[in-house]
Amino acid sequence: MSSFLSSAAYGKDNVRVLKVKRDPTDPSKQEVIEMTVQVLLEGEIETSYTNADNSSIVPTDTVKNTVHILAKQTDVWPIERFAATLADHFTSKYNHIHKATAHIIQHRWTRYNVDGAPHPHSFIQDGTEVRIAQVSKSDTKNSKFHIKSGIKDLTVLKSTGSMFYGYNVCDYTTLKPTTDRILSTDVDASWEWNPAAFTNIRDVDYHANAGLFDNSYNAARTTTLRTFALENSASVQATMYNISTEIIKKVDLINAVTFSLPNKHYVNVDLSWHKGIKNLGKDAEIFIPTSDPNGLIKSTVTRKPAAKL
Ligand code: AZA
């Protein structure tokens, strides 16, 4: 046969969990976390594909049960810790599973105020934005935890403070340059942690307890929103680069920042055909939101290794 199994992974996707944490001194005071979990396993599983031999398969149903049981038995805040717990579990428990990758989407539940005070156990889903963590762990000697964190589906728009001119012009170009346009995107940002700082699960716990993942998530989100608002953007490319370099500057243990941003066009419409209505340039008030096609701009900015002395 002239083909071979060159890659294989399997597991459970879309495992949904909500965990409630009660304040021991007042059980009506609670926190919640809602997650959608994916776990993929790799290792000596080849014959399950090539020989229909199921003996190496830890059933995906078992993977789902494990997510529920470890969610009950361990601390799942922040999601980087829970993803690391899952990846560590599968590579430790099964000798023939050599790599596990846990990907967690945390849905947004924000405590809300009632009569001016934060309610102890009522939350609002304020938007589609989610927080992401992905942890990969292999069982080879000295292998580290490879952790990625991120934000997805944070939708933003600014109605001025964005330009686009000076681009390549050729015989296919119809786009007009502008010094004032609407800029809108769904932020998809992720940052990769330096694996050298995460040699075992205790390192992950240590940094989680010290607030590293939560503080960095807040810093990345704030930096993204601040720069988006404050900068007079030359392009999506330039803005995402500036945000990425700022995040790398702020958090020492972040090695790389990746952005994938749709440029969701809002097209200024010419209404001059109707009684000479002025709606272009400085008179622009009416725009047509277009869902497609959209620009799609991606980048990864990586920390330069420190110079050797
Ligand atoms: N980047 C932008 O910010 N705006 C654009 C582009 C681009 O690459 N292309 N058209 N409009």
Side-chain angles (χ1 to χ4, degrees), residues 94-111:
Y94 305 102
N95 287 335
H96 68 292
I97 298 299
H98 299 315
K99 185 176 176 192
T101 301
H103 182 274
I104 300 182
I105 300 169
Q106 178 180 351
H107 303 278
R108 196 169 167 84
W109 287 114
T110 306
R111 190 182 304 282

Side-chain angles (χ1 to χ4, degrees), residues 27-39:
S28 79
K29 275 198 200 154
Q30 302 186 353
E31 283 179 53
V32 294
I33 188 167
E34 181 174 344
M35 300 174 281
T36 302
V37 181
Q38 180 196 77
V39 177

Side-chain angles (χ1 to χ4, degrees), residues 197-266:
F198 302 99
T199 54
N200 56 51
I201 193 76
R202 288 179 304 284
D203 291 340
V204 179
D205 273 330
Y206 169 81
H207 286 299
N209 292 342
L212 177 70
F213 299 111
D214 287 342
N215 293 341
S216 307
Y217 169 79
N218 290 331
R221 189 173 186 274
T222 303
T223 302
T224 302
L225 293 176
R226 266 181 67 80
T227 308
F228 182 80
L230 298 182
E231 187 186 75
N232 192 12
S233 169
S235 64
V236 175
Q237 285 89 332
T239 297
M240 71 208 284
Y241 177 77
N242 291 340
I243 297 170
S244 304
T245 53
E246 197 61 32
I247 294 171
I248 287 183
K249 234 185 269 167
K250 282 194 173 138
V251 187
D252 292 345
L253 286 181
I254 290 178
N255 266 0
V257 175
T258 295
F259 270 91
S260 174
L261 299 180
N263 187 4
K264 300 167 80 176
H265 306 300
Y266 286 74

Side-chain angles (χ1 to χ4, degrees), residues 4-6 8 43-53 56:
F4 68 102
L5 183 72
S6 52
E44 291 164 59
I45 56 175
E46 183 171 345
T47 51
S48 68
Y49 294 79
T50 57
N51 287 13
D53 171 3
S56 67

